[in-house]
Amino acid sequence: MNRTVRLTLAPIVGLIAGIALVAVVQAISHLIFEAPQGVDLSTPEAVSAFMATVPLGAKLGVVLSWAAGMFGGGWVARRIAPGQRWVYSSVIALLLLLTCMNFVTIPHPVWMIVAPFVIAYAAWWVLDARARTTAPAPLQGDAPGAKR
């Protein structure tokens, strides 16, 4: 696959993988912590009241899903386009933005609002450290000695 295709596909596939991981982990969390029957979520007040009753384990499941999405999506993007820091950084940033959009619609405790920023930084740091310790394989289509 040529360099341009890889650089185009990497953030897209990484973002899709990250969103899929978030969905899978949250689905598992919803199986473990089922919402009570007849919960009214039609008004912001009802959503706030419901969020106050959600158990800590369910909230941790949501945070775990964010972590899985950011680490996994960034990892996938890094594997498709090794050596391109902007690729996995952009995936993590987009997933962080999507998470923050969730805060606008659903009230969260402060620790849940801080958590995705810490997770995003940790995901970037781990992926970046890993990228620095492994020599990137040249993308097909690179000229020998070409700068990236």
Side-chain angles (χ1 to χ4, degrees):
M1 191 178 317
N2 88 18
R3 176 182 168 83
T4 305
V5 172
R6 281 180 158 242
L7 292 176
T8 303
L9 285 179
I12 295 168
V13 174
L15 185 62
I16 291 169
I19 291 169
L21 282 166
V22 169
V24 167
V25 174
Q26 284 193 12
I28 293 168
S29 179
H30 291 313
L31 289 174
I32 296 168
F33 299 98
E34 292 183 17
Q37 294 294 331
V39 173
D40 175 32
L41 300 176
S42 60
T43 65
E45 296 79 23
V47 173
S48 293
F50 174 69
M51 282 300 288
T53 66
V54 172
L56 178 62
K59 292 175 183 172
L60 290 174
V62 171
V63 172
L64 180 63
S65 76
W66 297 336
M70 288 183 202
F71 276 93
W75 182 83
V76 167
R78 195 182 123 246
R79 294 290 295 171
I80 294 171
Q84 301 297 317
R85 298 174 86 183
W86 68 268
V87 171
Y88 54 85
S89 299
S90 64
V91 169
I92 293 168
L94 287 169
L95 288 167
L96 179 62
L97 177 66
L98 290 172
T99 301
C100 290
M101 288 172 54
N102 192 7
F103 299 146
V104 174
T105 58
I106 302 171
H108 290 74
V110 172
W111 69 269
M112 283 185 78
I113 295 171
V114 172
F117 292 96
V118 173
I119 293 167
Y121 178 75
W124 176 83
W125 188 83
V126 166
L127 290 169
D128 196 57
R130 179 83 176 124
R132 282 183 272 128
T133 60
T134 58
L139 294 176
Q140 190 175 21
D142 279 353
K147 291 213 175 226
R148 289 187 213 172

